[in-house]
Amino acid sequence: MSADPKLEIRDLSIRYGDHVALEGVSLDVRENEIFGIIGPANAGKTSFLKSLNRMDMFNPAMKVGGEIRFNGEETRNWANVYELRRRIGVVFPLPVGLPMTVYDNVALAPRLAGVKNKAELDATVQRCLERAALWDEVKDRLDSLGSLLSGGQQQRLTIARALSQDPELLMLDEFSIAVDPVTTMRIEDVLKELKEEVTIILVTNLVQQARRLADRTAFFLEGQCVEIGDTEDFFTGEVADPRTRDYVEGRFG
Amino acid sequence: MSEARAQASRVGQRNRDWYIDKAVEIIVFIGGISAIIFIVGIFVFITKEGLGFLADTFDFKEFFFSPNWRPTSEANPTYGILALMAGTASVTGLAMLVAIPFSLGAAIYVAEFATGKTREALKVLVELLAAIPSVVWGFIGLSIMNPLIIDLFNVPIGLTVLNAGIILGLMAAPIMTSIAEDALKAVPDRYREAAEAMGATRWQVIFKVVLPAAKNGLLGAVLLGVGRGFGETMAVLMATGHAINIPTSVFDSVRALTATIAAELGETANGSDHYQALFTIGIFLFIITFLINLSADLIVRGVRKG
């Protein structure tokens, strides 16, 4: 582990009008770890992710307070928010195959960044699709519509697209809810490999998934961060808050 | 025992609720198919009125390829609609050049940028604009645009393709804006979010993701505008100058198919060749607008995935 955390969050709060989505969250995400976030619906998990890449910018209802430092730099000081977002890849709960070809889906981010060289784009597309374990299935139909792939393929396409930005941080928001178990396992294997290169935040509603993947885990509940710890401790019962144990053992949520 | 007998006696009976329900069903059905009945009725009517001409005097080559529309000539009446088609096409074409940037810009602003009260106010205003009667637009063409064009471009007459094209473009823009905005709104927000999360700027989101995703609906909006242009009568009659002419520049006066019918039908003897020729123009217009609207509809529904 490097000394400086990838992401330092201090006293983060998120409000939508009068509604408090998240309050008083402070945590660090270390370089090259998989940081799991578990918790029931309405815990503020998705809002948390949205605040990290400044998706509040075009949502006037969403108010973010506190400090978020990415590589030691307060995210609000990034004059060019698009540059920040290019360093942070996002995978959404439902696969979003944009209505363009498979190739164009993956080439979109480099193109947005100004890459025009065809050979370079070809190489990026192949590399990202391979890393997302999708290349073998789509290499013969890169020209077909991305939105016509199956759900599991689309989700891997989304991951390939997120990787095409060469992100330093990859955020996955309940990526497996629309994906079959076999594909989920394949994606999980991909994530374990990716950990070598990028830092990953994994929001999941599957407690066991967090156990399989996450080095450390945070438990969110009703807008609060109840507990942060080594993932294994969550499952061996070494937790500070009884609510964490109840949730992990499936007694509520 | 007696209960079972009572039930048996009721099995074959229909009560008041059943009849009311049936009546409502029939009334709604009649309402539903009335549109079909009317459109078929109109088509049958105009075809019947134009039939005599189509059967006797109609000369395919003259009708479509002769620029001479001289129905009132004593010695040798000719019925060529080439110049009229050129008039309608040139005015509609120019109108689209005016309307497409306006309506697309307005739709993008309303759908992607405006929020809250601005958005609501704009939507209401656009609908209001669509409700302005065409004779009012014609009046603007006649009394405002006409002297303006004469002054500005130093031409002898301002009732031209340019005048009618601008007027018609402004007339068609509101409905095109409405449909284009619907098309943009139909693009799921998750597409926008996905692109934004990749670091796309708002213009990149719109140009690379939203517009391509909405292209069927946008094409449909344009086609409906074209249909509107072909069918518009009063404003075009007032602003074109109503001169039979194949235009060589936007400063030429022209005459539209629709305006010809409107201006001449009252002057013709019922059942005469001239009268029937006007109805043949009507059939032609009917078929064209029907085809345009049908393809617009098919495209909006995305039957043709491009």
Side-chain angles (χ1 to χ4, degrees), chain B residues 126 131 178 254 291 296:
Chain B
V126 167
S178 245
V254 291
L291 287 178

Side-chain angles (χ1 to χ4, degrees), chain B residues 222-235:
Chain B
V222 171
L223 276 180
L224 280 177
V226 172
R228 175 89 208 253
F230 266 82
E232 176 50 39
T233 307
M234 187 49 77

Side-chain angles (χ1 to χ4, degrees), chain A residues 159-179:
Chain A
I159 291 174
R161 206 173 54 205
L163 293 176
S164 72
Q165 301 166 238
D166 265 329
E168 297 167 34
L169 175 67
L170 182 63
M171 313 196 290
L172 299 107
D173 189 359
E174 300 187 349
F175 73 88
S176 56
I177 53 177
V179 178

